[in-house]
């Protein structure tokens, strides 16, 4: 997040001028929603889970981030990669990243992406395997192209520190 | 452009590291501050027809304009107020001993704010009764302390009776504060009395320095993503923002009992063999003072005004008239007004004269006997 915000600030002056006037659509429409899982017991006494607005979120609570992307063009989009920096205040919930047709990679520095087992963290001069708490970014690499009109989804859970 | 991006990336990483370090300074156990906006945004990179396209950032309602200047918004929520705290007995973890007549005795509690927002706490104390559960293993004996007051050491400089506020004021996340119940013990209280107390801390809104805010209310039902809502989580469970703790006072005092026995020693005819209480007979009195209490009794004075029909026997014990056995320590003394603790004047024997002698102490759990002899006139 920091990287991106910072990038925005630094890059804004370069990008803003040409793009502000253009505002032309790209090929994809990208949306992120934040929700909370609510456990309810229905009239039949069945326990059900549903996603609701993240209205009440206090430290220790988990939220669900869902990124949806839809190809609004007439051409297929190839090599689609979704990168989501984890908010500073949140910790990734281990094993929660999900995305149909995607290979899911993680990063502890925002530049090197790999499977969790391959990530190493250097702490006080010593190296150790990375844990969920260390992840700074999540990346979904779509294994096939997104055809015109098709939609994809990337989802993960994070816990508020 | 590539070079710029790489450079920007490096610079940003540096900025990020600094930010992380700064953030960790206040990222304490209590968690992210209430009111913090948590922002998230995904970026999608893709190619079309083999040609890389400008990335697209996500927006809560969907964005398809490429690049950083697309105006796409981050997906946000505001961190809500997790009211969480502990209230425990502190200081002396047993009852506080008081003596009858003691003023400004106190019991102590500690309140710790484990939530994620600065709060006030309103405090309410209650004198418990024998019908309430025991506190520190002691049952209330249905006596109460008097002049009960609450003082909170908000300024962390120790208890200041009459100066400290009676509520918890602006306690920040992870902050702890000592709460004192200060009370007086009436002189009518006796050894072994137990006065148990309960204190309730009720979460209140931060009311500014020196001012108690209104009780904090759970706004469940009107919760929203943008504002700061309240979740009562004290003790790790959904609650009501209230916690109680108990402590108490135990009355610890001396408890004296006094008994007097007499024994015929001799008469002028039978001497010491089966003596009779006839004029000229010698009778030995033993006055016993027992302290069954928990505190030492000091400056104990035993006075015995003799009947007009008897008179103190002079030199009954060598050159002395009185024998004092204070828990095994035996001292003799004389009837004259001198440096010892005994005096016999105008038919009254006084044992325990403090000046110029040192007065008599009967220690907790011990017994003192005073022995003297009289003649029947």
């Amino acid at each position: 997040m920091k990287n991106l915000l910072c990038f925005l600030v630094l890059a804004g002056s370069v990008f803003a001028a040409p793009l502000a006037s253009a505002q032309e659509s790209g090929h994809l429409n990208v949306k992120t929603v934040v929700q909370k899982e609510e456990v309810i017991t229905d009239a039949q006494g069945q326990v059900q889970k549903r996603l609701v607005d993240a209205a009440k979120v206090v430290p220790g609570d988990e939220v669900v981030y869902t990124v949806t992307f839809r190809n609004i063009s007439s051409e297929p989009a190839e090599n689609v990669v979704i990168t989501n920096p984890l908010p500073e205040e949140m910790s990734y919930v281990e094993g929660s990243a999900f995305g149909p047709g995607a290979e899911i990679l993680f990063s502890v520095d925002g530049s090197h992406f790999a499977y969790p087992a391959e990530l190493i963290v250097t702490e006080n001069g010593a190296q150790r395997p990375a844990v969920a708490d260390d992840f700074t970014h999540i990346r979904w690499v779509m294994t096939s192209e997104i055809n015109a009109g098709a939609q994809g989804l990337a989802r993960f859970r994070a816990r508020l520190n | 452009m590539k070079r710029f991006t790489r450079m920007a990336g490096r610079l940003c990483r540096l900025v990020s590291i600094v930010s992380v370090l700064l953030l960790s300074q206040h990222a304490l156990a209590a968690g992210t501050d209430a009111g913090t906006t948590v922002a998230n945004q995904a970026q999608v990179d893709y190619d079309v027809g083999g040609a890389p396209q400008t990335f697209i950032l996500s927006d809560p309602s969907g964005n398809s304009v490429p690049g950083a200047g697309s105006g796409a918004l981050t997906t946000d929520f505001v961190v809500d107020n997790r009211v969480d705290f502990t209230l425990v007995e502190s200081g002396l973890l047993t009852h506080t001993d008081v003596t009858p007549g003691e003023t400004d005795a106190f019991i102590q509690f500690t309140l710790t704010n484990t939530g994620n927002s600065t709060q006030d706490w309103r405090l309410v104390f209650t004198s418990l009764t024998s019908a309430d559960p025991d506190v520190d293993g002691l049952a209330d004996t249905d006596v109460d302390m008097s002049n009960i007051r609450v003082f909170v050491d908000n300024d962390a400089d120790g208890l200041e009776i009459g100066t400290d506020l009676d509520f918890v004021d602006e306690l920040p996340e992870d902050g702890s504060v000592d709460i004192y119940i200060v009370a007086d013990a009436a002189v009518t209280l006796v050894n072994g009395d137990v006065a148990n107390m309960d204190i309730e801390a009720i979460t209140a809104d931060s009311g500014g320095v020196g001012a108690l805010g209104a009780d904090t209310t759970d706004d469940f039902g009107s919760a929203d993503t943008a504002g700061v809502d309240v979740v009562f989580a004290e003790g790790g469970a959904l609650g009501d923002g209230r916690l109680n703790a108990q402590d108490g006072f135990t009355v610890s005092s001396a408890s004296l009992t006094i008994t007097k026995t007499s024994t015929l020693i001799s008469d002028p005819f039978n001497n010491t063999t089966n003596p009779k209480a006839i004029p000229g007979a010698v009778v030995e009195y033993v006055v016993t003072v027992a302290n069954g209490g928990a505190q030492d009794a000091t400056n104990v004075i035993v006075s015995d005004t003799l009947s007009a029909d008897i008179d103190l026997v002079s030199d009954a014990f060598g050159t002395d008239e009185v024998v004092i056995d204070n828990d095994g320590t035996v001292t003799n003394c004389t009837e004259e007004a001198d440096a010892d603790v005994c005096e016999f004047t105008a038919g009254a024997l006084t044992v325990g004269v403090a000046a110029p002698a040192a007065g008599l102490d009967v220690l907790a759990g011990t017994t003192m006997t005073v022995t003297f002899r009289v003649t029947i006139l």
Side-chain angles (χ1 to χ4, degrees):
Chain A
M1 187 69 244
K2 273 272 140 44
N3 256 338
L4 198 60
L5 269 182
C6 188
F7 182 81
L8 275 170
V9 173
L10 291 174
S13 52
V14 178
F15 285 117
L19 289 173
S21 54
Q23 294 291 313
E24 279 170 18
S25 268
H27 300 75
L28 301 172
N29 182 284
V30 188
K31 181 175 173 178
T32 296
V33 295
V34 57
Q35 289 168 305
K36 216 181 144 175
E37 192 174 79
E38 190 181 68
V39 180
I40 55 159
T41 307
D42 66 17
Q44 283 74 45
Q46 297 286 311
V47 174
Q48 296 190 342
K49 290 177 176 179
R50 64 176 182 191
L51 290 173
V52 295
D53 267 3
K56 259 191 187 179
V57 185
V58 296
D61 283 357
E62 285 181 18
V63 297
V64 178
Y65 284 110
T66 307
V67 183
T68 48
F69 47 99
R70 192 160 45 89
N71 189 342
I72 55 171
S73 75
S74 52
E75 303 161 280
E78 307 140 11
N79 301 326
V80 175
V81 175
I82 300 99
T83 308
N84 198 129
L86 275 160
E88 208 70 72
E89 304 84 357
M90 311 293 291
S91 293
Y92 172 68
V93 175
E94 192 166 4
S96 68
F98 164 78
E103 242 184 287
I104 303 172
L105 304 177
F106 296 87
S107 175
V108 293
D109 58 10
S111 59
H112 172 65
F113 283 83
Y115 292 116
E118 296 161 358
L119 288 170
I120 299 292
V121 173
T122 305
E123 200 173 54
N124 301 326
Q127 292 198 326
R128 61 166 176 81
V131 295
D133 257 1
D134 299 318
F135 300 159
T136 59
H137 295 69
I138 309 170
R139 176 169 282 178
W140 290 260
V141 179
M142 304 309 291
T143 50
S144 50
E145 46 193 47
I146 308 296
N147 290 320
Q151 184 165 316
L153 175 142
R155 174 175 278 176
F156 69 99
R157 285 168 184 265
R159 188 179 299 109
L160 180 62
N161 296 328
Chain B
M1 180 59 117
K2 267 254 168 61
R3 184 176 299 158
F4 171 77
T5 310
R6 204 159 50 230
M7 198 177 70
R10 263 191 218 134
L11 187 56
C12 286
R13 267 200 296 287
L14 196 66
V15 172
S16 302
I17 290 163
V18 172
S19 313
V20 168
L21 287 176
L22 289 175
L23 272 172
S24 61
Q25 294 289 309
H26 60 95
L28 299 165
T32 310
D33 292 357
T36 304
T37 297
V38 177
N40 186 26
Q41 194 166 40
Q43 172 178 332
V44 178
D45 293 275
Y46 65 104
D47 301 344
V48 170
Q53 305 291 309
T54 306
F55 64 87
I56 300 176
L57 295 175
S58 72
D59 179 278
S61 54
N63 169 51
S64 52
V65 180
S70 66
L73 300 173
T74 53
T75 297
D76 299 345
F77 68 87
V78 173
V79 177
D80 294 319
N81 184 4
R82 179 179 193 268
V83 172
D84 198 357
F85 64 106
T86 59
L87 177 66
V88 293
E89 181 183 355
S90 62
L92 189 65
L93 293 182
T94 54
H95 274 38
T96 295
D97 281 347
V98 291
T99 52
E102 184 176 340
T103 56
D104 293 344
F106 64 83
I107 50 180
Q108 190 183 339
F109 302 88
T110 299
L111 190 151
T112 304
N113 183 358
T114 52
N116 65 336
S117 179
T118 295
Q119 300 279 164
D120 287 352
W121 271 273
R122 183 163 67 86
L123 302 169
V124 176
F125 62 80
T126 311
S127 291
L128 299 175
T129 70
S130 58
D132 293 301
D134 293 357
V135 176
D136 296 337
L138 296 172
D140 192 278
T141 59
D142 289 325
V143 293
D144 292 333
M145 297 291 282
S146 46
N147 192 23
I148 304 168
R149 293 145 289 159
V150 172
F151 295 105
V152 181
D153 186 23
N154 289 300
D155 47 6
D157 62 353
L159 170 62
E160 293 168 297
I161 293 170
T163 304
D164 283 334
L165 297 170
D166 63 357
F167 59 90
V168 176
D169 190 28
E170 301 294 301
L171 186 64
E173 298 149 57
D174 286 309
S176 274
V177 72
D178 288 332
I179 297 166
Y180 299 89
I181 292 183
V182 177
D184 299 347
V187 289
T188 50
L189 297 180
V190 298
N191 185 59
D193 271 345
V194 174
N196 287 337
M197 303 277 316
D198 175 90
I199 188 160
E200 183 174 41
I202 300 144
T203 309
D205 296 340
S206 157
V209 175
L212 175 64
D215 290 1
T216 301
T217 51
D218 189 337
D219 48 10
F220 191 79
S222 63
D224 55 38
T225 324
V228 176
D229 308 312
V230 173
V231 174
F232 287 124
E234 74 277 357
L238 271 182
D240 55 5
R242 294 165 178 247
L243 285 178
N244 295 69
Q246 294 81 33
D247 195 357
F249 297 93
T250 302
V251 178
S252 178
S253 171
S255 172
L256 298 183
T257 51
I258 183 161
T259 50
K260 185 178 181 184
T261 58
S262 65
T263 313
L264 265 173
I265 300 297
S266 64
D267 75 40
F269 302 100
N270 300 304
N271 293 319
T272 56
T273 309
N274 201 10
K276 304 290 181 296
I278 54 172
V282 173
V283 177
E284 183 172 278
Y285 283 117
V286 178
V287 178
T288 304
V289 178
N291 183 355
Q295 294 288 315
D296 299 341
T298 57
N299 296 318
V300 175
I301 298 171
V302 178
S303 299
D304 195 346
T305 302
L306 302 185
S307 135
D309 304 319
I310 54 174
D311 192 17
L312 190 68
V313 177
S314 289
D315 300 335
F317 306 98
T319 56
D320 303 311
E321 286 75 40
V322 182
V323 176
I324 302 166
D325 179 344
N326 196 348
D327 195 28
T329 304
V330 179
T331 48
N332 289 6
C333 58
T334 62
E335 61 181 311
E336 287 80 24
D338 50 21
D340 64 31
V341 294
C342 305
E343 261 177 51
F344 184 65
T345 43
L349 176 67
T350 304
V351 178
V353 179
L360 291 171
D361 296 343
V362 180
L363 305 185
T366 70
T367 298
M368 176 178 78
T369 59
V370 174
T371 306
F372 59 94
R373 288 179 179 184
V374 297
T375 321
I376 299 173
L377 297 176

